[in-house]
Amino acid sequence: YKRQTVDSAYQEIKNEKIEYQPGTRTVYATGLYTIIGRVIEAVTGQPYLEAMEQRVFEPSGMIGVVPNDPTREDLEHTQFYVEGDEEGTFTPGPPFDSSHKLAGAGFLARAEDLVRFGSAVLEAKIVSEQARDQMFRAVPLANSEATPFALGFRVSGFEGEPLIHQPGGGIGISSWLFILPERDLVVAMLSNLTAAPVGGDVADEIISAFSSN
């Protein structure tokens, strides 16, 4: 057994055929972040994890972020669950190696780490103001058709204001990061249950509660 590196994961997908002309469709694919991760390694001359620690995690104060490595016995995290029933019982999730998608969905973090990341982006601490504004702007298709997708985020609205957000998930993991630039507010929601309700009405109520305070 050997965990994959960003480069070994990239080697497996680099020769895949393009299924559609870029700019004509929107498709969510975690593998795209593997390509971005390999570009980061090439540009910085650093391994992906080292580049992230030096350029993102440390400047943002994200002290609790670690790769999700089920082979590490010293890795502290909550128990992950994959399903529940009406009686409130849950099934523990199996160990899962996410090293093949480290750049897209391969880290473990705390809610405060995600908030610190969102705040660092919002306050232009780890990117320039120009880059932040581009990241917060939805990108249309080549034919000018609107999409909800920006650079690494999704864009919608909340009570008439822009809402920048991005969900994530895996085995025993559900997460959602929300950024409301006009309120200078960042909210992160995490659950240790697959497909937990961390968005929708629950998120709206929590965002409203933070806004009122």
Side-chain angles (χ1 to χ4, degrees):
Y1 171 79
K2 183 178 181 181
R3 281 173 59 82
Q4 286 197 319
T5 64
V6 170
D7 182 62
S8 66
Y10 168 73
Q11 296 301 325
E12 292 187 6
I13 65 176
K14 71 175 185 178
N15 294 322
E16 293 290 329
K17 294 181 179 179
I18 296 178
E19 296 182 357
Y20 59 92
Q21 184 67 26
T24 61
R25 291 172 55 190
T26 57
V27 176
Y28 183 85
T30 304
L32 298 178
Y33 287 92
T34 297
I35 298 173
I36 294 171
R38 187 65 191 95
V39 170
I40 289 173
E41 290 187 330
V43 171
T44 63
Q46 299 174 288
Y48 178 75
L49 179 56
E50 181 180 314
M52 291 296 293
E53 290 174 339
Q54 180 179 325
R55 300 166 186 269
V56 179
F57 301 157
E58 292 176 6
S60 302
M62 301 167 66
I63 60 175
V65 180
V66 293
N68 185 3
D69 183 354
T71 67
R72 281 184 54 180
E73 297 183 357
D74 63 334
L75 186 61
E76 296 183 358
H77 60 75
T78 186
Q79 173 66 56
F80 300 133
Y81 295 95
V82 294
E83 60 184 17
D85 58 30
E86 295 180 355
E87 297 179 357
T89 60
F90 299 94
T91 300
F96 178 71
D97 177 18
S98 59
S99 61
H100 65 287
K101 56 176 183 177
L102 176 64
F107 289 99
L108 296 177
R110 307 168 303 174
E112 52 262 49
D113 292 312
L114 292 185
V115 168
R116 286 171 178 154
F117 169 74
S119 298
V121 174
L122 181 59
E123 297 168 8
K125 289 183 177 180
I126 55 175
V127 294
S128 67
E129 291 185 0
Q130 180 181 15
R132 175 202 61 199
D133 293 345
Q134 289 180 331
M135 293 171 69
F136 287 1
R137 187 181 306 124
V139 180
L141 298 180
N143 63 1
S144 299
E145 179 182 342
T147 79
F149 297 103
L151 301 180
F153 290 104
R154 303 182 188 194
V155 181
S156 59
F158 180 79
E159 297 181 349
E161 300 176 20
L163 177 64
I164 315 300
H165 57 105
Q166 181 60 29
I171 295 178
I173 297 171
S174 298
S175 64
W176 214 310
L177 176 65
F178 302 91
I179 303 174
L180 289 95
E182 295 185 8
R183 304 189 190 194
D184 196 27
L185 176 65
V186 179
V187 176
M189 298 181 61
L190 301 181
S191 173
N192 59 334
L193 176 65
T194 302
V198 294
D201 293 340
V202 174
D204 290 348
E205 292 181 14
I206 290 178
I207 292 172
S208 295
F210 275 106
S211 297
S212 63
N213 294 325

